[in-house]
Amino acid sequence: LGTGQLIAAALDAGCNRIILGVGGSANTDGGAGVLQALGARFLDSEGNELPPGGAALARLDRIDFSGFEPRLKDTRFVLASDVDNPLLGAQGAAAIFGPQKGATQQDVGMLDAALARFVEVLAREIGSEGPSNRAFKAAEAPGAGAAGGVGYAAIAVLAATRRPGIDVVLEFTGLADRLAGADLVITGEGSLDEQSLLGKTPMGVARAAAAQGVPVIAVCGRTTLAEGQAAAAGFEDVYALTELESNVDRCIAEAAPLLEQLGTQISGRLAATTLSRSATTKEDLHV
């Protein structure tokens, strides 16, 4: 709902091109809240408005778009998403990201079924029946499962063009130019794990650095990646706070001093590597 309100505020400010940076949400509602904030009404079979949340979509009977924000027709949307998950199924929003938000396996099944109902009703509302309908296609589109399915609403209803979030960020920050002449790139996130390999920020940074031959080190709170996985992803090394402090709660509470310790380790290694290269160069010159 809040994201929809932000979109409305952007329209009020005169914006006609909006980039939706999606991820890190606390919901699994397929973007229903976004659409509600923009004037759509989600109704049950008796014409009552559904309460917020993904589970309520199981009772969805129709969507009333009569009060939908008219300015959206002249607005271009870019969906900036670091993940390429679809909306439904084993790799969908509920199954992959639901448990991170406290969903049990029973909850996951319920939410996935509710999202499927949303797709079915939306397909009836915005176009012809059948698998060619954009509502069905959007459910399978890369990034549809991002932010609890906000990606789905953006693609299906707002006609958003999806771009990897990291590409959008790298473009805005001009990272390619900043990499010129760098000796080392340090990137990271809270948990460097298998989900990171699906296209999150560290992977994008690693690819950009590799393109210019600059080594990359990842710093994180914890990691579940095996050494081979990290190397294949382009990381020369991975430093985790849990290597210094096994208690995760303390890693969170004392992240700053622990990061300073990791920084000392990294700078020491960089200094040692520089000295080694210098010594090798002098030896080569002597020979």
Side-chain angles (χ1 to χ4, degrees), residues 38-199:
L38 294 170
R41 298 174 67 230
F42 286 67
L43 308 172
D44 64 17
S45 59
E46 297 180 357
N48 300 311
E49 288 205 44
L50 297 178
L57 294 173
R59 307 198 309 276
L60 181 64
D61 182 70
R62 66 187 180 90
I63 306 171
D64 179 4
F65 281 106
S66 62
F68 203 52
E69 172 59 66
R71 292 175 295 178
L72 292 169
K73 293 180 181 178
D74 300 317
T75 306
R76 291 184 298 123
F77 285 88
V78 174
L79 177 70
S81 168
D82 286 334
V83 299
D84 56 8
N85 301 68
L87 179 67
L88 305 172
Q91 295 299 312
I96 298 299
F97 306 115
Q100 295 178 353
K101 306 167 187 178
T104 65
Q105 284 306 304
Q106 182 178 1
D107 294 332
V108 167
M110 175 180 63
L111 288 168
D112 193 62
L115 292 174
R117 175 62 180 171
F118 179 22
V119 174
E120 180 184 342
V121 174
L122 184 62
R124 191 173 68 230
E125 299 287 353
I126 66 175
S128 59
E129 297 286 351
S132 62
N133 184 281
R134 73 175 188 267
F136 288 113
K137 284 186 173 182
E140 300 174 358
V150 168
Y152 172 67
I155 295 169
V157 181
L158 303 179
T161 300
R162 186 251 178 185
R163 291 185 61 195
I166 183 59
D167 289 353
V168 176
V169 173
L170 295 185
E171 181 180 295
F172 277 131
T173 58
L175 181 64
D177 294 332
R178 293 168 183 263
L179 285 171
D183 297 307
L184 179 70
V185 169
I186 302 174
T187 184
E189 62 181 332
S191 179
L192 190 68
D193 50 35
E194 284 72 11
Q195 286 193 26
S196 305
L197 303 181
L198 297 176

Side-chain angles (χ1 to χ4, degrees), residues 12 27-28 51 58 69 95 115 119 192 199 203 213-214 217 239 255 272:
D12 291 340
N27 63 287
T28 309
E69 172 59 66
L115 292 174
V119 174
L192 190 68
M203 292 296 297
V214 182
I217 287 175
Y239 291 80

